[in-house]
Each structure stands twice: as structure tokens, then as C-alpha cells.
Amino acid sequence: SAVISQKPSRDICQRGTSLTIQCQVDSQVTMMFWYRQQPGQSLTLIATANQGSEATYESGFVIDKFPISRPNLTFSTLTVSNMSPEDSSIYLCSVLDRGNTEAFFGQGTRLTVV
Amino acid sequence: GIQVEQSPPDLILQEGANSTLRCNFSDSVNNLQWFHQNPWGQLINLFYIPSGTKQNGRLSATTVATERYSLLYISSSQTTDSGVYFCAVRAGKIIFGKGTRLHILP
């Protein structure tokens, strides 16, 4: 298994500002994943973050809005930029176990934009 | 792409009741997981079950990969079982179903 520490756990932000979410894993992993869960909805993959290269974004998500850093094999950040109320969601980071089979998730960041 | 459908979308049960949640997927997958999302938003791993049957306490799961479905059984429900249950399959990237929202009444 993998232990993932994600912070902040929640935040209330003003529109037009940015928030950076941090994700720390207790072991080295090749890929880290960032998801968004809008209210009452399922999880949607934002991007895959590889160490040493630019993140790969899914359709509908762009780097200018969701810049991602991956400075080493145990850490990643997701920034939600120029926020609007529509960005109010739970954001989760995820990794796969050593066998690249089972996915584990951080505690999530509940973001409210006012 | 692969479609993942969960049923029922909502379920309200009395404490002590049993329930069966279903996950259908439209194509062959490498693996399948069940998660419980608690009221605080945290995703809890329940089962990694690409095929076969597993049990963990009051919960058990069965995946029949050849028929492209998985079932999650919850017996003797408790109020702490409330939340949303997600099925997720991996074919390249992980794809989540829309979830089953379970509410257990005391």
C-alpha cells in the first residue's frame, strides 16, 4: 500500500486567487495522478504527473489553469489558478502501488471558491 | 472508451439490512477496485479485485471478468457504511463509475 499526505484538507478562497495543493507519498512512485470531483459527481482525471517531465493533461484541462509540479519521486503540487466558483470541488491526488495495480488516494482537498 | 455503470444510483436501507451493489463495464479491463467515499470526501480502498471473490469482514466482492461485472455485498449494514461507493476500472487510465450513494438509517 501507499500512504499519501495531502494538504490543505480544505480551504475557502476568493475568486481570482490561486491555491496550491500538496501531495506527499511515503515511497517513490513513477506517476502521480490528480483528480477533480465536482459536487455530487464522480472523479475525473485532470492530469498525470511524471518526475522530470511535463504533466500530461486530459481533455478539458489545461496547464495554464492547473499547473503541476513534480520535483521528485515522492512529491507533487497542483495549483488551481484564477479561481472561479465553478472550481469548487474536491481535488485528490493518487498513486499506484509498487506493482502498478492498486490505486491509493490522498485525503482530498475540499475547495470552496466564493 | 470504456464505460463503467453502477447500480443502483441511490440506496436507502435500515440498519442491519444487507445490500448488493453492481458495477458493469463495457470492455476487458486490467483490474477493478471498489472504494468507499466517506462524508469527509476521503476515498477508502475496499477491494482490489480483477477477478474472483474476496471477503473482508461484513464486506465481500465478486468480479466475473468474462461477463464484465462486479458485485459488492454489504451485510448487516451499519450507519458508518453510509457514503458513496465507487467502482473503478483500469484500461490505461483509471475510469470511475458514477457511484452508488448508500444511506443507512439508524
Side-chain angles (χ1 to χ4, degrees), chain A residues 26-110:
Chain A
D26 68 340
S27 58
Q28 293 183 340
V29 292
T30 305
M31 293 185 291
M32 296 179 73
F33 307 89
W34 287 98
Y35 289 82
R36 180 178 72 180
Q37 186 181 23
Q38 295 177 300
Q41 304 296 312
S42 185
L43 281 76
T44 301
L45 181 64
I46 298 172
T48 301
N50 295 304
Q51 193 267 336
S53 64
E54 281 200 4
T56 303
Y57 289 82
E58 297 297 308
S59 176
F61 297 96
V62 296
I63 189 171
D64 290 346
K65 177 66 176 177
F66 298 101
I68 288 172
S69 77
R70 183 80 201 275
N72 58 53
L73 291 174
T74 64
F75 187 79
S76 179
T77 67
L78 170 77
T79 299
V80 186
S81 302
N82 188 25
M83 290 183 286
S84 67
E86 292 71 35
D87 294 319
S88 298
S89 297
I90 298 174
Y91 293 85
L92 301 104
C93 66
S94 173
V95 302
L96 298 176
D97 65 2
R98 286 183 177 274
N100 280 337
T101 51
E102 189 171 357
F104 292 87
F105 286 80
Q107 304 96 316
T109 298
R110 189 181 294 269

Side-chain angles (χ1 to χ4, degrees), chain B residues 2 25-30 65 68 90-91:
Chain B
I2 288 185
F25 43 96
S26 61
D27 205 344
S28 299
V29 297
N30 295 330
R68 300 177 184 168
R90 187 171 170 215

